Amino acid sequence: MSDLPDNQRVVVTGLGAVTPIGLDTESFFRSLMEGKNGISLVDAFDTEAFTCKIGGQVRDFDPTVAMDPKEARRNDRFVQFAVAAAKQAMDSSGIDMSKEDPDRVGVFVGSGIGGMDTMEKNCEKMLTSGPRKVSPFLIPALISNMASGVLAIQYGAMGPNFSIVSACATGAHAIGESMKTLRLGEADVMIAGGSEATITPLSYAGFCSMKAMSTNNDDPQRASRPFDANRDGFVMGEGAGILVLETLEHAKKRGANIICELAGYGASCDANHITAPHPEGKGLISAMKRAMKSAGVNAEEVQYINAHGTSTPYNDKFETAAVRGLFGDHANKLMMSSTKSMTGHLLGAAGGVESVACAKMIQEGKVAPTINLETPDPDCDLDYVANEGREAKISVAMSNSLGFGGQNASLLFKSV
């Protein structure tokens, strides 16, 4: 248990998730434990000319479950995901905004790329029909900070509010910076996480050109295979993961149902390469160390790591090296899994969704598997909870996120 005073400890009191394997937190977690696979052939656009034709699409999503239909039409899909996930999180937290000081409620919800679909469609309109056909809502719909802005309007939250952009570490950084804001006493409540909706032609063209994505188009269900020797790239997903965070003092005062504690956060940069992780995982080791230091726990107390685990040859090898480098012999006792094996890689939303997964694993005493792990890779030799989930009491769980630019974030969750 942390020795911080209650007004500096931060707890999780609400969870929300919109994912390819579930449109709410409970169905998402149930799917994780069942090893349900959310990867299929993409039908959001014509993939004929693309080397990658698969993805983790969010299907049967109705934005009007959380938004006015007129507002839903004005906002990009990534904002719609964020609003739906935040509604789940706020409803489950039981917070009554009419009883809160609006200046003490803040929002940090990020997106790695923002409104890609809006930008592409309006670019086509301009090129084919001229600038007068461009939507007046183009700019507010595509900018990455708009999820935070819309959520603040929706809940009347007038506290700290901005959007963090750090590629695939965005959601984790937003949650970590929210924790720091609460510890500094600048808010009582923070709505935090990430959202992404980049299953679009231009996004796919860019990542395909990088050769970063799996081309296992004939077998989508087996394409995302973190830590497997035959992995050939990541599979893009979409969705959102949002947490409601509060100071422990505030949560106790209103009688909140506390899910777990967000006890630590570490951020760092590899300062090495714009897309590849550091070969020895130096930056990630620093982020994990800082998360443990701020949580006041030692390496032997960490029982589970939700890996960044993208299913790319470099990421999984180097993340394994970083965990071995930091935890030494204790690495053999750790459980580590990649939920991206089921959801695909949600880019800027990944850290939010995977934080929801960690909180649920602590709450339920269950560990999600890494599916499609069939052929051992000699460079990936940890316990990845292969193919089947486990019943296991988790007191300390870590979530890792790495972004292009070498930016790393580690979050550390504890049972209460």
Side-chain angles (χ1 to χ4, degrees), residues 30 44 50 117 126 138 157 267 274 276 287 357 362 388:
R30 186 167 57 251
F50 294 78
D117 182 60
M126 188 182 76
L138 166 66
I274 58 170
I362 289 173
E388 290 190 12

Side-chain angles (χ1 to χ4, degrees), residues 344-411:
H345 186 1
L346 276 63
L347 308 183
V353 168
E354 289 156 20
S355 292
V356 172
C358 282
K360 286 296 293 180
M361 288 188 226
I362 289 173
Q363 185 182 45
E364 301 289 342
K366 297 177 179 177
V367 177
T370 304
I371 68 167
N372 294 325
L373 183 38
E374 299 165 345
T375 305
D377 179 345
D379 291 324
C380 299
D381 57 354
L382 300 173
D383 175 5
Y384 302 109
V385 195
N387 300 310
E388 290 190 12
R390 293 179 195 162
E391 302 276 340
K393 180 176 172 55
I394 301 295
S395 300
V396 180
M398 180 179 281
S399 182
N400 287 335
S401 294
L402 288 63
F404 283 172
Q407 291 157 347
N408 311 294
S410 293
L411 299 169

Side-chain angles (χ1 to χ4, degrees), residues 148-160:
S148 272
V150 169
L151 288 174
I153 294 167
Q154 188 132 346
Y155 293 103
M158 300 173 69

Side-chain angles (χ1 to χ4, degrees), residues 305-325:
I305 297 176
N306 189 292
H308 189 57
T310 56
S311 184
T312 60
Y314 281 165
N315 178 93
D316 299 357
K317 176 181 175 180
F318 297 157
E319 187 171 8
T320 298
V323 170
R324 282 221 166 271

Side-chain angles (χ1 to χ4, degrees), residues 165-208:
V165 178
S166 54
C168 304
T170 293
H173 277 129
I175 292 167
E177 293 300 318
S178 293
M179 185 193 85
K180 289 170 69 173
T181 298
L182 291 165
R183 279 190 176 178
L184 288 170
E186 294 176 351
D188 296 323
V189 179
M190 292 295 297
I191 303 168
S195 187
E196 202 79 84
T198 50
I199 298 183
T200 68
L202 188 57
S203 293
Y204 265 58
F207 280 112
C208 285

